[in-house]
Amino acid sequence: MKKLDNCIDIVDKAGDELIEKFITPIAKGIFTLLENEIKIGQAYLTFKTAFMEKKIKIFLKYIENEKSKTVLDFINNLNEIEKKFFIESINKVIDLDDEFQIYILAHLVGQYKDNNDLNYYEKSLFYNINSLSSDDYLKFYKVLSSIEKTEIDSPDDDGFYDMSNLSEVEEIVLTKFINLGILKHDVLRHDGGKNFLKTDYTDKLIKIIKNYKEQNE
């Protein structure tokens, strides 16, 4: 954790330098690109590199937490196919927007290592990792942890979950998860899309989010 704190300090310092040498002169109307090109290029690259390093270190920290082993041990035990997936995941990390996305990606890397592949639901999260934010995951967790199932007295009907009492934002969030296959529409009732069902992966994702919350409380 100390190494991560040091990395955050480096990002902050690089950001301060970028503001001082690039943003502030523009705001004051005294910035001239040709005169300052080398300085700005150096400041920008330093900032981008430090920011990228911070995200990768967060990713590696979550892999350590996921697998309960050092990152070096984890990497050294990757076969060639797993190594390609790991590198592809690192490339995704660089473009991610928030820490929860990085956490989910680290979990998926661990699943790939354990099972030599990802299942359908995990692949959906992996290839759409940028489409869900931390707010989406946390609202999903909040709703699914408290919503009550409407039971139906029929051996052919397992019941459903009703979205009609949720807020507009909560409906939008759950619709995102329906579109990714983590939840599914209730096809037994013509409800205008207001009812939904869990999939085989829903409770698994709830547990993953709960673990994140516990690690970061």
Side-chain angles (χ1 to χ4, degrees), residues 23 32 37 62 73 76 90 95 119 125 141 192 200:
I23 305 300
T32 303
E37 184 175 0
Y62 281 129
D73 285 341
N76 289 335
I90 289 288
D95 294 327
N119 64 36
L125 289 177
Y141 176 81
D200 293 339

Side-chain angles (χ1 to χ4, degrees), residues 87-96 105 126-127 129:
I87 293 171
E88 182 182 355
S89 300
I90 289 288
N91 191 47
K92 281 182 174 289
V93 167
I94 295 169
D95 294 327
L96 293 182
L105 194 58
F126 182 80
Y127 290 112
I129 193 74

Side-chain angles (χ1 to χ4, degrees), residues 31-69:
F31 176 76
T32 303
L33 180 61
L34 292 178
E35 294 177 0
N36 296 276
E37 184 175 0
I38 295 177
K39 292 181 184 177
I40 298 309
Q42 290 173 340
Y44 180 73
L45 287 175
T46 299
F47 173 75
K48 290 290 287 185
T49 302
F51 200 67
M52 177 179 67
E53 182 182 355
K54 174 187 174 183
K55 289 196 281 188
I56 291 174
K57 284 192 173 181
I58 292 172
F59 174 68
L60 298 179
K61 176 193 75 171
Y62 281 129
I63 285 182
E64 284 193 340
N65 292 346
E66 175 81 16
K67 307 311 298 176
S68 300
K69 61 171 66 174

Side-chain angles (χ1 to χ4, degrees), residues 151-162:
E151 302 288 351
I152 304 296
D153 187 17
S154 169
D156 300 321
D157 193 334
D158 195 35
F160 61 93
Y161 296 91
D162 184 2

